Amino acid sequence: MKKVRIGCGAGCSYDRLEPAIELVERGDIDYIVFECLAERTIANNQQQKLKDPSKGYTPMLEARMRGILRQAKKNGIKIITNMGAANPNAAVELILKIAKEMNIVNLKVAMVSGDDITNELDKYKDIVMWQSKKTLGELDAEIISANVYLGAEAIREALNNGADIVVTGRVADVALFVGPMMHEFGWTENDLYEIGQSTLLGHLLECGGQITGGYFADPGYKDVENLHILGHPIAEIDETGNFIVTKVKGSGGEVSLRTCKEQLLYEITDPSCYITPNAIVDFTNVVFKQMEKDVVLVTGAVSRGIPYTYKVNVGYSDCYIGEGEVSFGGLNSLPRAKICADIIEKRLKIVGANIDEYRTDYIGYNSLYKTNISDNFAPEEHSEIRLRVSGRTKTFEDAMLIAQELDYLYTNGPAGSSGIESRVRQVLSIGAIIIPKDDINTEITYWEV
């Protein structure tokens, strides 16, 4: 029976390189996927591209390619990645440059484009955005990016045409995994169980080390061994659509019923209706079975149909945040922090700062849960407290007033303040609209070295 092994080399833009190297060297895999885009990531990448047209791809692209390219080529491992981000063309150029420097030949690289519709948004100005409930045309902000969550079809086509590396911009995370499965087994959207299982495979693996114990461990409650050498996941799927999840033997972490169950529920709302570009999948009958240590069999996901729309991620410049922090030590640290907070709030009124939203946090006391927990469980005295104040403003200048008042505490605040930090940052907000699939045309371009 035919089987295909696929590993996840990265689950975010900034992820460790060592697990990916471990996968190509000892994972006995056919594919390695680098899934590196989040909602705001591509908007940030678009900003980088606007400043420098040669940038806009995932910053760790070069390190990852230099780390795995030679071994992947030697072992016949194909690479699938959305590290093209806002500039797939520049990403491909860099990969080709690295391949030539490393004297790697007979390498075919495919680029999938068509997701960037930033310059086409006028036709969608009457569509309501999910989060704000305003139409796109009512958005009073500078739009930075608009990218469609493409499906797996173009990845499948690129692989059908012999691509060794497929570079995309924004595609749905799971599509990076579904595409190779469609290519290998000839599955289509009509193969409801197989596509459902492929989608589940992608969902479980897309966050890399999360399913092997990262973002899972909780000492004393959910202990996980050797997190410092956490291994990334591998899935082995056969022509029935059933698959196992495992990892490289000897790597850190674990693959178990508990890690798989927790990852199944990660970032989904209705488990009976998990919507992706290629399938609407029902996870409610999924079964995990521990076959042996670090090997879990996964069955039961099924597609309920195909959506006829695409989600579009819209990134826009929303506001500025002025913020600052200052630390206090000793048993009187909380009262001194509170005096500082009072000084800053009164000073901001004096200087006339226009602030839309303002927040004070005492880190170590109530910064996560405010008074819901701290009033009931926190001690009366604290050995150390870090004060954080922040404000959301429409202008950079108003945000700077907040940051400056923190700096003034060096000589104008109470005794014992230390470690003052202040900053102003522009906030990129994210909205989403839905558009017809028929509006989008994807293109595939090929290069060879």
Side-chain angles (χ1 to χ4, degrees):
M1 182 180 295
K2 181 177 180 179
K3 296 180 180 181
V4 176
R5 285 171 65 89
I6 186 166
C8 184
C12 60
S13 179
Y14 290 99
D15 209 339
R16 292 177 189 149
L17 178 58
E18 294 95 327
I21 295 174
E22 183 176 63
L23 284 173
V24 297
E25 289 182 347
R26 301 198 294 120
D28 190 27
I29 56 175
D30 303 294
Y31 293 88
I32 185 167
V33 170
F34 292 92
E35 195 292 288
C36 299
L37 292 181
E39 280 72 13
R40 284 180 175 80
T41 313
I42 200 161
N44 288 327
N45 294 145
Q46 189 70 266
Q47 280 192 318
Q48 295 166 9
K49 181 182 176 182
L50 292 172
K51 294 176 183 177
D52 183 348
S54 69
K55 303 297 183 182
Y57 50 81
T58 299
M60 284 191 69
L61 171 67
E62 181 169 2
R64 288 177 177 137
M65 290 300 103
R66 291 192 183 279
I68 68 141
L69 192 55
R70 188 185 303 281
Q71 193 68 40
K73 178 63 177 174
K74 178 182 177 182
N75 292 347
I77 300 168
K78 295 183 181 292
I79 301 168
I80 317 292
T81 183
N82 57 14
M83 285 193 285
N87 200 348
N89 195 75
V92 170
E93 290 179 357
L94 178 58
I95 292 171
L96 296 174
K97 175 177 176 287
I98 293 170
K100 291 175 182 177
E101 289 177 1
M102 300 177 77
N103 296 315
I104 297 173
V105 296
N106 299 321
L107 188 73
K108 190 170 186 177
V109 182
M111 179 188 77
V112 177
S113 58
D115 64 293
D116 189 344
I117 62 167
T118 308
N119 297 324
E120 303 172 31
L121 288 182
D122 284 347
K123 67 176 77 170
Y124 304 116
K125 62 183 180 181
D126 294 327
I127 295 182
V128 175
M129 302 177 70
W130 288 1
Q131 291 84 349
S132 67
K133 307 305 179 184
K134 295 180 180 178
T135 66
L136 197 57
E138 293 172 332
L139 186 64
D140 183 22
E142 177 191 3
I143 292 178
I144 304 297
S145 63
N147 295 83
V148 179
Y149 283 76
L150 298 177
E153 298 88 349
I155 297 172
R156 173 186 58 190
E157 181 179 340
L159 293 170
N160 287 348
N161 290 329
D164 300 295
I165 303 175
V166 182
V167 178
T168 77
R170 178 74 271 185
V171 300
D173 299 350
V174 299
L176 298 168
F177 299 85
V178 175
M181 302 304 100
M182 295 173 78
H183 160 69
E184 288 285 348
F185 297 106
W187 295 333
T188 70
E189 285 87 349
N190 295 322
D191 296 302
L192 300 182
Y193 183 74
E194 292 84 353
I195 292 299
Q197 283 285 103
S198 298
T199 302
L200 175 57
L201 183 157
H203 173 67
L204 292 176
L205 263 66
E206 68 184 64
C207 294
Q210 285 190 191
I211 197 173
T212 55
Y215 204 64
F216 169 87
D218 192 353
Y221 297 94
K222 298 183 293 182
D223 292 307
V224 178
E225 295 183 354
N226 296 318
L227 284 171
H228 63 292
I229 52 170
L230 185 69
H232 278 199
I234 299 167
E236 181 179 285
I237 189 167
D238 63 36
E239 57 195 34
T240 70
N242 295 334
F243 64 91
I244 61 168
V245 179
T246 185
K247 64 185 184 67
V248 174
K249 198 166 186 177
S251 62
E254 67 177 69
V255 178
S256 61
L257 297 181
R258 62 180 190 164
T259 64
C260 290
K261 289 178 181 178
E262 187 164 306
Q263 188 60 26
L264 174 69
L265 299 177
Y266 180 72
E267 288 187 338
I268 64 172
T269 50
D270 183 353
S272 70
C273 187
Y274 183 65
I275 302 175
T276 75
N278 295 102
I280 302 169
V281 183
D282 184 351
F283 289 160
T284 57
N285 293 309
V286 168
V287 175
F288 296 111
K289 182 178 181 181
Q290 192 86 44
M291 305 301 290
E292 57 185 274
K293 179 178 170 58
D294 295 324
V295 178
V296 173
L297 175 66
V298 186
T299 60
V302 62
S303 169
R304 299 302 187 193
I306 309 167
Y308 295 97
T309 56
Y310 280 130
K311 175 183 175 182
V312 181
N313 198 63
V314 180
Y316 56 95
S317 177
D318 188 21
C319 62
Y320 293 89
I321 296 290
E323 61 185 327
E325 299 177 9
V326 54
S327 294
F328 297 92
L331 297 182
N332 206 34
S333 56
L334 182 58
R336 280 182 285 147
K338 287 183 175 180
I339 288 177
C340 270
D342 182 64
I343 292 170
I344 294 167
E345 193 165 352
K346 289 176 179 177
R347 286 291 308 168
L348 290 172
K349 292 179 181 178
I350 291 172
V351 300
N354 294 308
I355 302 173
D356 295 327
E357 184 180 356
Y358 187 76
R359 179 177 174 119
T360 299
D361 294 300
Y362 302 99
I363 299 172
Y365 171 57
N366 72 347
S367 63
L368 293 180
Y369 303 107
K370 303 306 287 182
T371 59
N372 291 331
I373 289 180
S374 60
D375 282 356
N376 294 312
F377 298 104
E380 294 182 2
E381 296 178 329
H382 301 265
S383 61
E384 57 187 53
I385 288 288
R386 186 159 177 84
L387 168 68
R388 177 183 181 268
V389 299
S390 60
R392 181 171 61 85
T393 69
K394 290 184 174 63
T395 69
F396 174 87
E397 290 75 17
D398 282 315
M400 181 57 72
L401 292 175
I402 300 171
Q404 286 174 339
E405 287 301 331
L406 264 294
D407 293 333
Y408 297 153
L409 290 176
Y410 273 116
T411 53
N412 296 284
S417 60
S418 63
I420 294 177
E421 294 183 357
S422 63
R423 65 195 72 85
V424 172
R425 55 188 173 92
Q426 186 181 22
V427 175
L428 291 178
S429 290
I430 297 298
I433 61 174
I434 299 298
I435 66 172
K437 277 189 174 181
D438 291 343
D439 287 3
I440 301 301
N441 294 311
T442 57
E443 295 183 6
I444 308 172
T445 312
Y446 298 91
W447 290 262
E448 293 189 48
V449 292

